[in-house]
Amino acid sequence: MIDRARYDQYLAAFNAKDYDGVADFYVDPPRMEFFGIVIRSREELKDFYRWLHSCVKESVTLRNFAASETCTACDAIVRIEALRDLTREELDARGATGFFPIKAGEVQEIRQFIFYTVEQGKIAKVEAALPPQL
């Protein structure tokens, strides 16, 4: 189970850009699909976040949290601050087709629903969705 205390450890590693620490929370190999990104290995996970965080400063703040033996679910605000321009073309070339372009210095705060399938206390699969935009 990934309860709130364990998830807070995961989130601390994520917010600290500790990619090895983040990867340690996943089964090997991880299975992640979100907003066009497909990750199927520990190295792909670390490479993706190294690239993304070279472009943006990202942090996650929880609004709501629920967990069981097989699922952890979060309602979160993902804050993105652009360190440099991130164009539609670059995002598409990286497979990040569901991400939003952003210019250097701009900030996006995006509410996301993140669902983690849990197997033997590790994250086996990640899925994310955006609520309807009003």
Side-chain angles (χ1 to χ4, degrees):
M1 174 181 233
I2 298 179
D3 62 10
R4 180 61 192 262
R6 184 95 173 107
Y7 190 78
D8 285 345
Q9 293 171 343
Y10 169 77
L11 201 53
F14 182 86
N15 286 337
K17 316 300 182 257
D18 175 4
Y19 306 119
D20 283 315
V22 168
D24 288 344
F25 281 85
Y26 287 82
V27 299
D28 195 12
R31 297 184 310 271
M32 299 172 72
E33 292 185 30
F34 55 95
F35 310 123
I37 296 296
V38 177
I39 294 173
R40 293 290 183 259
S41 75
R42 183 180 174 99
E43 283 310 310
E44 284 179 2
L45 183 147
K46 294 188 317 184
D47 288 345
F48 168 73
Y49 282 112
R50 276 190 208 106
W51 165 75
L52 182 63
H53 294 151
S54 74
C55 305
V56 301
K57 185 177 176 180
E58 178 182 27
S59 61
V60 178
T61 304
L62 286 181
R63 292 171 43 108
N64 295 291
F65 178 89
S68 72
E69 289 297 322
T70 59
C71 181
T72 296
C74 301
D75 169 8
I77 300 296
V78 178
R79 185 180 191 279
I80 304 290
E81 181 180 344
L83 302 172
R84 64 175 181 79
D85 288 358
L86 193 51
T87 65
R88 172 86 275 142
E89 293 78 19
E90 183 177 1
L91 290 166
D92 289 351
R94 295 291 297 207
T97 56
F99 283 61
F100 303 111
I102 189 170
K103 294 193 178 291
E106 288 182 350
V107 173
Q108 297 172 351
E109 289 194 349
I110 305 161
R111 186 174 184 192
Q112 290 185 18
F113 302 124
I114 309 164
F115 300 91
Y116 303 87
T117 300
V118 178
E119 295 174 0
Q120 298 179 346
K122 293 213 172 206
I123 300 168
K125 184 177 180 183
V126 178
E127 300 168 282
L130 300 175
Q133 303 300 305
L134 302 176

